[in-house]
Amino acid sequence: MSETLRDLASTIRSKNAGPDNITFDIIFRDRGNFERVRDSGALSRASVAALYDIPDARIVNFNVIDAASAIKFTIRRLKPSGSPGESDVFGSQQYAPLFD
């Protein structure tokens, strides 16, 4: 059985980053897990775009934060938070695809 990001990280979350963006935080349980994921390339701009089936241009930023053993990225929403037809006002339900 292979480990998942859910096994390696202590926190995986998404939230609003203003009305037009959703930001994602992955904070690792320990430095070793962080370095394994960082060095593997399994979590990258390209893998996030593929996982969420979005063009790379919607990824506003992708940051590896060594000092915090964390990876953070932000995706531009298709519609502003709270607008008609938008499905997650707080952006807090978008992280689940990262679990596996």
Side-chain angles (χ1 to χ4, degrees), residues 5 9-18 21-27 48 51-52 71-77 81 86-99:
L5 194 55
S10 59
T11 302
I12 302 172
R13 65 184 174 208
S14 61
K15 58 189 175 185
N16 278 346
N21 297 308
I22 298 173
T23 195
F24 297 76
D25 302 310
I26 301 123
I27 304 167
V48 166
L51 180 64
Y52 284 90
I71 297 174
K72 181 177 185 114
F73 61 91
T74 303
I75 294 175
R76 182 164 305 281
R77 291 174 175 269
S81 175
E86 195 280 315
S87 62
D88 187 1
V89 173
F90 299 110
S92 61
Q93 304 300 314
Q94 304 305 311
Y95 60 91
L98 294 165
F99 283 172

Side-chain angles (χ1 to χ4, degrees), residues 5 7-13 24-39 43 62-73:
L5 194 55
D7 298 324
L8 301 173
S10 59
T11 302
I12 302 172
R13 65 184 174 208
F24 297 76
D25 302 310
I26 301 123
I27 304 167
F28 291 86
R29 295 188 190 286
D30 60 50
R31 185 77 184 172
N33 287 344
F34 166 70
E35 289 174 351
R36 283 176 52 208
V37 173
R38 179 196 65 197
D39 297 346
L43 188 57
F62 187 95
N63 297 304
V64 176
I65 307 164
D66 288 318
S69 296
I71 297 174
K72 181 177 185 114
F73 61 91

